[in-house]
Amino acid sequence: MTIDDIALTLHRGLGAISIARLVELFGSASEVYAVGENALVEAGVRRDIARDIALRQTHQMAEQEVATLQKQSIGYTAVGDKEYPRMLCDVPDRPHVLYYMGNIECLKGHTLAVVGTRNASSYGMIMTDKLIEYLAKRTPEATIVSGLAFGTDSNAHRAALRYGMTTAAVIPAVLPAIVPSEHSALARDILDKGGVIVSEFNSMCRPSRNSFVTRNRIIAGVSEGTLVVESKASGGSMSTAEYTVGYNRTLLALPGRANDITSAGTNRLIVNRMASAVCSGEDIVREMYWDASDPQIGVLDFEKAEPDSTQQRVLNNMPTSDPVSIDTLCERCGMSKGELATLLVDMELDGIVRRHPGDCYVKV
């Protein structure tokens, strides 16, 4: 982490995607400042922004920012640092710098985002508690991620603390402020129990209503998967779900009554096959593949079959980490969609591949 990292985020007109692209293109924030104005323009940066970067116009502000952070005991980390959350590194619109209070190391292990409506029903609150209680017994090292908001978010944080799990809160505010302020005591409990409070906003930012939506991409981005407990057909939780699918992460949803408006969003996610239905903690462990060695929780109860020549051709065109869409596989394998879809079902039953939301597949 250098002054260059913070300075790069202070240039007006440079968004998260642009910064990520420049850092990937040139190797680091320091190299972005070293290449010169013309190279930046050739890379697609507007001339006025490229000139400001070349002249290091924001470095004095960055130095002041570091002094403020140190005075307030707020941590900060940039892409490429060992502290930066590993899952967030793969997100194209990741924040280049994260600010935090507490133990950011808790985001290096298993992570599950639990989100939902602010108007949580008793059903949603009870199920959130029971699901997290189960996870605390099966995967106590996992971290529960949420947004510290009223309703489902705060219930998820409290359940994690109650059952001895660490929990991380991503907030749309400039640290050390807590939003909502009514949850300041909860935030202290999160920190006291080894968790972390995270924000992408520096002290020169003025968070707006849109900050809640952009915050949701971080909740999805730091997590291996997202569980939507309850949600209307639209809202913050549904935006987190969209980010989760866009990042090729596992999306889970708690089914509700068909005529319950509070579950309209989660039911739609399940019906549209964007999310896997979760009715128990065991479902979460299985879908997240957190305990595949356990015969009761494993991927499948069948003995894994050896692929035949046609299946092997598909496997040769399939990555082992990032899920690939069935359309892409059709192009790579030279097969029709119907033929490939039938083959993939057999391969999934044989324990050779795993299906992700959006008709994407990955090797097991």
Side-chain angles (χ1 to χ4, degrees):
M1 176 79 183
T2 67
I3 289 292
D4 294 334
D5 288 298
I6 292 180
L8 193 59
T9 67
L10 301 180
H11 288 281
R12 293 192 176 186
L14 271 187
I17 294 178
S18 297
I19 292 174
R21 186 176 61 83
L22 287 175
V23 171
E24 289 175 358
L25 180 63
F26 295 110
S28 69
S30 296
E31 287 301 316
V32 171
Y33 280 103
V35 295
E37 179 180 335
N38 290 334
L40 292 171
V41 172
E42 290 177 2
V45 179
R46 267 183 11 218
R47 175 69 68 175
D48 58 327
I49 299 175
R51 184 177 301 114
D52 285 347
I53 293 174
L55 294 174
R56 298 175 176 262
Q57 293 281 31
T58 61
H59 273 66
Q60 184 176 355
M61 289 188 293
E63 291 171 355
Q64 295 171 351
E65 183 69 18
V66 169
T68 299
L69 294 168
Q70 292 174 343
K71 184 178 180 179
Q72 297 177 331
S73 298
I74 296 171
Y76 47 97
T77 183
V79 173
D81 294 344
K82 63 182 180 63
E83 298 89 359
Y84 195 87
R86 63 180 180 87
M87 297 298 297
L88 200 55
C89 291
D90 298 329
V91 171
D93 54 351
R94 61 183 180 262
H96 184 65
V97 175
L98 278 182
Y99 303 94
Y100 64 91
M101 298 187 299
N103 175 30
I104 200 167
E105 297 287 329
C106 71
L107 292 173
K108 285 188 173 182
H110 286 320
T111 46
L112 176 71
V114 180
V115 298
T117 178
R118 293 173 182 236
N119 300 311
S121 68
S122 57
Y123 162 72
M125 297 185 73
I126 290 171
M127 287 303 298
T128 299
D129 187 272
K130 288 185 177 299
L131 293 172
I132 292 177
E133 180 184 15
Y134 182 90
L135 293 179
K137 296 175 182 177
R138 293 304 305 272
T139 57
E141 75 285 356
T143 294
I144 300 299
V145 182
S146 200
L148 203 67
F150 293 105
T152 303
D153 288 20
S154 57
N155 192 40
H157 290 305
R158 290 191 174 100
L161 295 173
R162 184 160 50 249
Y163 298 116
M165 300 181 75
T166 55
T167 182
V170 185
I171 64 172
V174 178
L175 296 173
I178 298 299
V179 173
S181 58
E182 292 89 337
H183 287 164
S184 295
L186 175 57
R188 286 194 296 272
D189 287 343
I190 290 173
L191 298 178
D192 289 343
K193 298 296 176 60
V196 66
I197 312 293
V198 175
S199 173
E200 68 175 313
F201 297 106
N202 59 64
S203 65
M204 284 163 264
C205 289
R206 294 293 178 268
S208 63
R209 290 182 63 86
N210 188 55
S211 302
F212 287 86
V213 176
T214 59
R215 176 272 308 272
N216 292 342
R217 85 187 195 285
I218 302 178
I219 293 177
V222 300
S223 305
E224 294 173 273
T226 297
L227 168 63
V228 185
V229 176
E230 289 180 305
S231 176
K232 295 181 179 180
S234 62
S237 299
M238 295 299 284
S239 74
T240 307
E242 290 172 3
Y243 282 122
T244 300
V245 173
Y247 299 153
N248 287 324
R249 307 285 170 79
T250 301
L251 182 61
L252 310 170
L254 179 71
R257 291 179 298 184
N259 62 348
D260 192 340
I261 189 173
T262 307
S263 293
T266 51
N267 288 343
R268 189 178 72 183
L269 291 173
I270 295 168
V271 169
N272 291 340
R273 299 186 69 187
M274 294 176 65
S276 298
V278 164
C279 298
S280 68
E282 181 176 331
D283 292 338
I284 297 176
V285 175
R286 183 182 61 251
E287 292 296 327
M288 296 298 295
Y289 280 59
W290 280 355
D291 200 0
S293 61
D294 189 322
Q296 299 301 317
I297 306 296
V299 178
L300 290 166
D301 291 332
F302 308 114
E303 183 179 351
K304 186 174 178 180
E306 290 297 322
D308 60 28
S309 58
T310 307
Q311 292 175 336
Q312 189 60 54
R313 176 154 58 100
V314 175
L315 291 175
N316 291 340
N317 288 282
M318 185 181 293
T320 55
S321 55
D322 297 326
V324 61
S325 70
I326 190 171
D327 292 328
T328 300
L329 281 174
C330 286
E331 295 177 4
R332 293 179 180 178
C333 300
M335 302 171 67
S336 69
K337 192 169 184 178
E339 178 186 8
L340 183 58
T342 302
L343 185 63
L344 287 169
V345 170
D346 291 337
M347 294 173 71
E348 186 175 10
L349 291 174
D350 287 339
I352 299 172
V353 301
R354 179 191 178 196
R355 183 181 179 278
H356 282 249
D359 272 342
C360 292
Y361 291 83
V362 69
K363 295 178 188 177
V364 171

